[in-house]
Amino acid sequence: MEFTLVAVLGVISIVAVAAFSERLGLAAPLSLVLVGIGLSFIPGVPHPDVEPELILAGVLPPLLYSAAVNMPVTDFRRDLGTISGLAVTLVALSTLGAGVLFHWLLPEIGWPAAFALGAVISPTDAVAATSVGKRLGLPHRLLTVLEGEGLVNDASALVLLRTAVAAFAGSFSIWATVGEFLYAVVVAVAVGLVVGLVNVRLRALLNDAVLNTAISFVVPFIAYLPAEELNASGVLAVVIAGLVTGHQSPRYLRANDRIAESTNWHTAAFLLESGMFLLMGLSVKTLVDEVRAEDLSVARALLIGLVAAAFVMLARLLFIVPLVAGMRRDVAKASQSKERIEALQQVLKNPEENPDFAERMRNLPEKRIEGFRKRVTRKSADIEFTVNQYFGARGGLILGWAGMRGAITVAAAQTLPEDTPDRAQLILIAFVVAATTLLLQGLTLPMVIRKVGVPEDDPQQLREEGARLMNALGESATDFLENPALTDKAGEPYPQRLIEFVRSDARVEAQRKAGDGRKQREGAPSRYEAGSRDQFLELRLRVLAVQREELLKARSSGTYSSLTLGKAQHVLDVDAARFEQLESSGH
């Protein structure tokens, strides 16, 4: 009964604080931590005792999976170098530096515990940063880097934490650590790929949105558990499974299933994320009492926590300098390659201009030539992205200041072995680091964003790009409808009036390029004048399938931004879900 009451009050509190935070223009995670800290000191307020393993193995996997499913793979691939630098290199360097700092300030805890605490405070939590960034219009690429870092850095930190804990028994070797890290990554990627691919293919066999969503809720654990059993990184396996699922689901899963899944997952992720931040605040009184019970100094823990918070913030800002310089070099290299790629595209478009090249092309299979064209197009798109989406030193400053720690830091600290020297004090230090970075950087990040003035994504450019994509989708539907060989499932031609109605209902005419010389057809018949209901639904869904394939080709080429692709996908999904429901209802 008490658990039920706490759960109900928790959800009500989360929703109320989130709604109030939106009115105040604050990120909900910051408000929840502050509310939790305040509640923790009020007598009679229950302090739920949640096992840290429950958070790391029960809450973290679905949260990472939910974020990974919505991460465009193309964006992740293009910024993999930057994301890896922040999520792997910076985490490793922060662990080493913080470990040395803790050993200097707390020599009695020994090197293993010092490095373990360093690993605990190294990963960032992107939830608060991205919620602020989206509200203030940060460019999409900057948000992608923050979200990508948040997806991967927990895996790096937890592997390093596992290594440091193993060193408590005296078993430590730098080469063994590197080997274990590589093993954990390779096995996790393999498990995630398999789970992601099998997940999408099996769920495609289900014809029920509720069943599909129910299965999706266990996918994170299906990826996490075997990876952990193989001593690999379970959280990285979850991330890979989520990326694969998000990339493949538009091809295999029904629109109705994906819309229902997205809505349910957004709700679940909101409650899990918010619950963790609220619990983080509620834990402060308990942590303070535990430190005092062991006759340790709360003031010392607070001071060391503040010093460690300053260290990780400074270390991140310093690391951003060479990171942005590397991105600037990438822009220079891309600019140099741009002319060569454009010349190659021109030759591929008009091979007769280069007789030698044309002769070589004639000796190659058409499939191989087409694959080469796709690779060149993708390379050209990647170059355009690198050159045009560079966010420079101003974006780097925001990236550096967005390194808040979160509830995972506190949960990871609580997994330290019971015999760790001064364990309660170390956990409180981790809490101070997390709370300080979260509140200090989180509350000042809006001001930093406004002062720095990073330009947001160009809305006019996005509108023009969206119009081009919708025109391309409309052209694909037009070509399909105007095919003289078009027949229904029985092999009979569709009534012309039905084709006219579907053309109008699909808004194909509105999507055509201006000035293409084709006349708009007016006075489209009603569905029941045009043909049978079954024929209409069949043809309408076939048109949507053609447009979906065209959209997948556009995504593969990389010539459109993920924002534009996402909006077009939503338009198609809404239409497809409507007709899928009509088809399954039978009336």
Side-chain angles (χ1 to χ4, degrees):
M1 184 67 181
E2 183 181 350
F3 173 79
T4 304
L5 180 61
V6 169
V8 169
L9 292 176
V11 171
I12 293 173
S13 301
I14 286 169
V15 173
V17 171
F20 189 66
S21 300
E22 190 172 347
R23 287 180 175 272
L24 292 178
L26 288 174
L30 307 180
S31 302
L32 286 164
V33 170
L34 289 172
V35 169
I37 291 174
L39 289 174
S40 71
F41 288 96
I42 297 177
V45 173
H47 298 167
D49 185 17
V50 180
E51 289 293 325
E53 284 295 339
L54 179 60
I55 293 178
L56 296 180
V59 176
L60 185 57
L63 280 180
L64 292 176
Y65 178 82
S66 174
V69 164
N70 294 299
M71 168 70 70
V73 169
T74 299
D75 290 357
F76 189 83
R77 174 182 61 81
R78 284 171 169 169
D79 276 313
L80 184 59
T82 304
I83 291 171
S84 299
L86 291 168
V88 179
T89 307
L90 178 58
V91 166
L93 292 176
S94 297
T95 298
L96 291 173
V100 172
L101 175 67
F102 287 132
H103 189 266
W104 177 55
L105 295 173
L106 297 164
E108 66 274 13
I109 66 173
W111 283 108
F115 284 122
L117 187 55
V120 163
I121 68 169
S122 293
T124 59
D125 188 315
V127 173
T130 53
S131 63
V132 170
K134 288 175 182 176
R135 190 174 66 249
L136 296 178
L138 280 183
H140 180 70
R141 185 181 185 186
L142 202 53
L143 291 172
T144 297
V145 171
L146 284 170
E147 290 175 342
E149 178 192 8
L151 286 175
V152 180
N153 62 11
D154 286 324
S156 304
L158 292 176
V159 170
L160 291 172
L161 175 60
R162 183 190 302 169
T163 302
V165 170
F168 276 86
S171 57
F172 176 77
S173 164
I174 184 64
W175 296 114
T177 300
V178 172
E180 288 172 8
F181 183 81
L182 293 176
Y183 169 84
V185 170
V186 171
V187 174
V189 169
V191 171
L193 283 172
V194 171
V195 171
L197 291 171
V198 173
N199 160 44
V200 174
R201 297 299 183 94
L202 289 181
R203 286 169 57 201
L205 303 176
L206 298 174
N207 196 31
D208 187 296
V210 174
L211 299 179
N212 228 300
T213 302
I215 291 294
S216 75
F217 284 146
V218 300
V219 171
F221 305 104
I222 293 174
Y224 179 86
L225 293 174
E228 287 292 314
E229 284 297 315
L230 294 170
N231 292 319
S233 173
V235 293
L236 183 58
V238 170
V239 170
I240 299 300
L243 289 171
V244 172
T245 299
H247 190 68
Q248 294 291 325
S249 59
R251 184 180 297 277
Y252 295 104
L253 300 184
R254 298 187 316 155
N256 197 40
D257 297 336
R258 288 186 286 109
I259 290 174
E261 178 188 0
S262 176
T263 301
N264 285 292
W265 265 106
H266 272 105
T267 304
F270 165 74
L271 291 175
L272 290 173
E273 287 171 352
S274 302
M276 285 205 310
F277 283 108
L278 185 61
L279 285 173
M280 175 182 167
L282 285 170
S283 68
V284 62
K285 178 67 165 55
T286 302
L287 295 176
V288 169
D289 290 343
E290 288 177 355
V291 171
R292 287 173 174 164
E294 295 184 12
D295 293 327
L296 297 171
S297 172
V298 173
R300 188 188 186 196
L302 177 62
L303 180 61
I304 293 175
L306 292 173
V307 171
F311 170 80
V312 293
M313 287 190 288
L314 180 61
R316 183 180 179 88
L317 288 169
L318 292 175
F319 185 83
I320 292 296
V321 175
L323 190 74
V324 172
M327 294 179 69
R328 189 180 296 115
R329 288 194 297 271
D330 291 340
V331 172
K333 290 178 182 178
S335 300
Q336 293 172 2
S337 304
K338 186 175 181 179
E339 186 175 340
R340 179 173 57 84
I341 293 296
E342 288 176 348
L344 184 55
Q345 284 182 306
Q346 184 63 29
V347 171
L348 284 170
K349 187 177 181 181
N350 300 299
E352 296 77 13
E353 296 178 1
N354 189 323
D356 292 338
F357 184 80
E359 181 63 29
R360 289 198 298 271
M361 293 278 284
R362 276 192 289 270
N363 295 327
L364 293 174
E366 183 60 33
K367 187 176 181 180
R368 188 172 176 184
I369 295 172
E370 185 60 28
F372 182 64
R373 283 199 183 98
K374 288 180 179 179
R375 288 194 297 274
V376 172
T377 300
R378 192 180 299 118
K379 181 64 176 177
S380 175
D382 289 347
I383 288 173
E384 290 292 333
F385 174 85
T386 302
V387 173
N388 296 329
Q389 300 296 320
Y390 173 62
F391 49 71
R394 290 184 295 175
L397 179 60
I398 294 173
L399 194 61
W401 195 245
M404 290 91 85
R405 276 63 183 168
I408 297 299
T409 292
V410 180
Q414 291 174 331
T415 65
L416 291 172
E418 292 294 335
D419 59 351
T420 303
D422 299 345
R423 181 176 179 273
Q425 190 176 49
L426 300 187
I427 296 173
L428 183 57
I429 289 171
F431 175 88
V432 172
V433 173
T436 301
T437 56
L438 185 64
L439 298 177
L440 174 61
Q441 294 181 304
L443 292 173
T444 58
L445 185 60
M447 180 191 68
V448 173
I449 292 174
R450 294 189 186 98
K451 291 289 185 182
V452 170
V454 176
E456 62 184 62
D457 297 310
D458 186 354
Q460 180 62 29
Q461 181 180 343
L462 289 174
R463 280 194 296 270
E464 292 174 356
E465 187 180 67
R468 288 200 310 273
L469 178 56
M470 294 307 292
N471 281 331
L473 299 182
E475 291 295 328
S476 68
T478 298
D479 293 341
F480 174 76
L481 290 172
E482 293 183 351
N483 183 358
L486 181 63
T487 60
D488 61 16
K489 291 180 180 178
E492 297 295 326
Y494 289 102
Q496 186 59 37
R497 291 176 68 79
L498 175 61
I499 292 176
E500 294 298 329
F501 179 79
V502 169
R503 188 196 308 277
S504 174
D505 189 70
R507 300 186 296 276
V508 169
E509 296 292 344
Q511 294 166 0
R512 281 180 170 164
K513 296 179 181 177
D516 65 357
R518 297 173 182 169
K519 294 181 179 179
Q520 297 274 344
R521 293 175 174 85
E522 298 179 355
S526 72
R527 184 196 316 164
Y528 298 106
E529 292 174 338
S532 74
R533 172 190 177 279
D534 290 341
Q535 277 187 314
F536 167 74
L537 289 177
E538 176 189 313
L539 184 57
R540 192 66 178 83
L541 286 169
R542 288 179 69 183
V543 168
L544 285 166
V546 168
Q547 292 180 307
R548 183 192 65 206
E549 285 301 317
E550 185 66 23
L551 182 61
L552 291 174
K553 289 179 184 177
R555 185 185 70 177
S556 177
S557 70
T559 52
Y560 295 95
S561 70
S562 59
L563 290 174
T564 298
L565 291 167
K567 289 178 181 178
Q569 184 73 66
H570 179 71
V571 170
L572 295 185
D573 283 350
V574 169
D575 278 352
R578 178 163 55 105
F579 293 113
E580 286 170 359
Q581 287 179 327
L582 285 172
E583 185 183 44
S584 62
S585 67
H587 61 273

